[in-house]
Amino acid sequence: MLSNLHVKNLALMKECDMNLRPGLNILTGETGAGKSLLMGSVNLALGGKADREMIRRGCDYALVELVFENLGPEVYEKLQDMGLSVDDDVVILQRKIQASRSTIRINGEQVTARQVKELAELLIDIHGQHEHQSLLKASRQLEILDSYAGQEQKENLERLKTHYEEYRQAKQKLSEEDLDESALARERDLLNYEVREITAAALSVGEDEELEARFLKLQNARRIIEALRSCAAATGYDEGAGALVSRALGEFRQVADYDKELQQLHSSLLDIDSLLSDFSREALRYADSLDFEEESFYEVSSRLTEVNRLKNKYGGSVQSALQYCQEKEARLKELEHYDEYIEELRQKERAAYERVIADCTEVTAVRRQCAPVLADTLKTALSELNFLDVQFSIALREREKPGEKGMEDAEFLISLNPGEPLKPMSQVASGGELSRIMLAIKTVLADQDHIDTLIFDEIDSGISGNTAWRVSEKLGKLAASHQVICITHLPQIAAMADAHYLISKHVEEGNTVSGIEELDKEASIGELARMLGAEQVTDSAAAHAKDMLAQARLYKNNIFTL
């Protein structure tokens, strides 16, 4: 669950720290106080688009930090796949926005937006107006049906996706091999030429490095000889350093017997004389052994040019050129028996297609079994949300061709009034009705949903009165098994809170600042009275608020005693 939300220097928020509780967490406040901004900060931490204009005026950066505790096994597995560690059963997501860059960290280690989004899918589920609208898409409706079907369907779809990719690749390969005789002849001629060219060169791995070393030596042979002879003369015993050291030894011998402490210096000078003698002799020997042969230089230069040409042409290295040759030899064998090769590809495509059809059949069977059950369950859930005469059905429409999602699409059909025929939701449901339908779906799917934390923004759009109480009760029921965070303007929903937070704004040193505080019981009564429309917390307004809290508490007690 989400245990803490920390926001600093983000738009109107100077610094806000919010400790969240299990159950139903309700956020209320006046319009414009910053409720949506607070939820937007959550999206930022989860990899949403960042803009430097979000940084509070006069500040160098903005920071959002989410702390999750009591992690499920799927989260640990995902973190392990990402190469990240977990300390004290906690995951900390941090987003820092600066003028020039934005960084995201998980438990202190920098990650990409894509990585944090993948992890967030296991930690939190956010539902706003955009999510309600997604209910109108056939693909989303199919996902809901498959999610309701459970683990068996998940495994069926994973197997189908794998087999469909194999089929797609086999089909693409067969399509690419649709060659006429002239194209086959051209390809064979080119392959034969390339294989002969590489084979004739008799390349060997490491040869290019050896040739480059020999070429460098031969190319600079004259300079090497001249340098060695010059060094031999400079260290020799005619007019070089050797002669000077020899003279020094003569001088030293005349005094060495007078002072025993000079013996070490005498020994060092003898070593220098020996080293100079050896160096001068070896330099002359090596210089005399070198001989610039024009023919050898030409052979090495020509071979190196040929090897480099083939390297550049066939992949950049001798190893890649040899590998290329092997691949083209294998391709030539395919072309030599082209009809048999094409037939083999056709058989692979047919076998892959048959596996796809078998998988689709299993997926379809599960959908046909679960669709009427889900429809009836959703109908009951919608009735509990004050859709009094609702009819609901799930139609499965067969596709022209099978795909990685199966052979059909799902379409949710609904009727909200007696005598009205079932129609697609896009033709019937308003924005407020869509939000309630989404809430019904989340309640029904709660047992299959492994995500602990759910956020609802604008769940109360377009509702009031008794309908608001029904929505409040649904949220309370959902919060019995999940952590729910909900922004609301309705007192009926706020009354169901297990933890109630007030977002407000004030002026501080000439600047507008948004803040958040958790309300105790008395403060919550005052906020409910305000939401009921009371300008001041009168006795009657407070009594009304207390009645709503008592009604909500009675409902929650009934949930836990069932």
Side-chain angles (χ1 to χ4, degrees), residues 271-551:
D271 290 341
I272 293 171
D273 183 56
S274 177
L275 287 171
L276 283 172
S277 177
D278 291 344
F279 174 82
S280 181
R281 186 170 55 253
E282 282 296 314
L284 284 174
R285 186 197 63 76
Y286 193 75
D288 291 341
S289 71
L290 290 176
D291 186 16
F292 179 78
E293 297 179 3
E294 193 73 38
E295 184 177 351
S296 295
F297 180 74
Y298 175 76
E299 289 176 357
V300 171
S301 178
S302 299
R303 178 61 177 173
L304 183 58
T305 299
E306 176 67 2
V307 170
N308 284 336
R309 184 183 70 83
L310 293 174
K311 281 169 55 179
N312 293 333
K313 186 176 181 180
Y314 297 112
S317 69
V318 171
Q319 181 65 46
S320 62
L322 294 172
Q323 179 65 31
Y324 184 87
C325 185
Q326 291 178 358
E327 293 171 357
K328 298 312 170 185
E329 286 176 332
R331 176 61 174 165
L332 275 172
K333 290 180 180 179
E334 293 174 351
L335 297 183
E336 288 171 2
H337 306 281
Y338 190 68
D339 291 341
E340 292 89 337
Y341 173 60
I342 291 298
E343 181 57 32
E344 181 182 344
L345 289 181
R346 289 196 181 105
Q347 290 177 4
K348 287 182 178 179
E349 182 197 30
R350 283 195 293 268
Y353 184 75
E354 289 172 0
R355 288 193 293 270
V356 168
I357 293 301
D359 292 339
C360 285
T361 301
E362 291 185 19
V363 168
T364 298
V366 173
R367 285 171 177 165
R368 294 194 182 282
Q369 179 181 3
C370 291
V373 179
L374 175 58
D376 288 344
T377 307
L378 281 175
K379 179 182 176 181
T380 301
L382 290 169
S383 297
E384 294 170 353
L385 285 168
N386 220 29
F387 288 99
L388 300 181
D389 295 296
V390 66
Q391 297 295 319
F392 195 90
S393 177
I394 301 175
L396 297 177
R397 317 286 191 194
E398 187 172 348
R399 298 177 179 176
E400 293 183 5
K401 298 178 181 179
E404 66 177 9
K405 297 294 185 182
M407 291 191 295
E408 59 275 320
D409 290 313
E411 186 173 38
F412 288 2
L413 304 174
I414 193 168
S415 170
L416 301 176
N417 298 299
E420 290 290 328
L422 289 165
K423 294 180 181 180
M425 283 200 303
S426 59
Q427 300 178 20
V428 177
S430 65
E433 289 164 340
L434 282 176
S435 67
R436 281 188 283 160
I437 294 171
M438 174 59 79
L439 179 57
I441 290 170
K442 289 308 299 182
T443 305
V444 169
L445 296 181
D447 291 338
Q448 281 80 21
D449 198 342
H450 297 291
I451 300 174
D452 289 331
T453 301
L454 306 174
I455 294 181
F456 290 96
D457 190 8
E458 300 185 39
I459 196 68
D460 55 9
S461 174
I463 63 173
S464 60
N466 188 46
T467 300
W469 267 117
R470 296 297 184 90
V471 170
S472 177
E473 290 169 353
K474 274 294 179 192
L475 287 170
K477 184 176 181 180
L478 188 58
S481 57
H482 291 68
Q483 181 192 42
V484 179
I485 303 168
C486 180
I487 296 174
T488 185
H489 298 86
L490 296 180
Q492 295 94 328
I493 294 177
M496 195 64 67
D498 295 305
H500 188 174
Y501 303 86
L502 175 65
I503 301 176
S504 59
K505 62 183 179 181
H506 60 279
V507 177
E508 186 178 298
E509 297 179 353
N511 295 313
T512 303
V513 177
S514 285
I516 186 166
E517 62 175 320
E518 184 174 359
L519 303 181
D520 59 19
K521 182 177 180 181
E522 290 302 316
S524 182
I525 291 171
E527 173 63 5
L528 286 177
R530 181 197 67 78
M531 297 173 74
L532 285 165
E535 292 185 7
Q536 296 180 348
V537 183
T538 62
D539 291 342
S540 60
H544 191 180
K546 290 177 182 178
D547 288 343
M548 296 183 76
L549 287 170
Q551 186 176 344

Side-chain angles (χ1 to χ4, degrees), residues 190-207:
L190 176 61
L191 292 175
N192 276 313
Y193 171 79
E194 291 178 334
V195 169
R196 284 197 302 269
E197 182 178 41
I198 298 173
T199 303
L203 299 173
S204 61
V205 177
E207 179 186 10

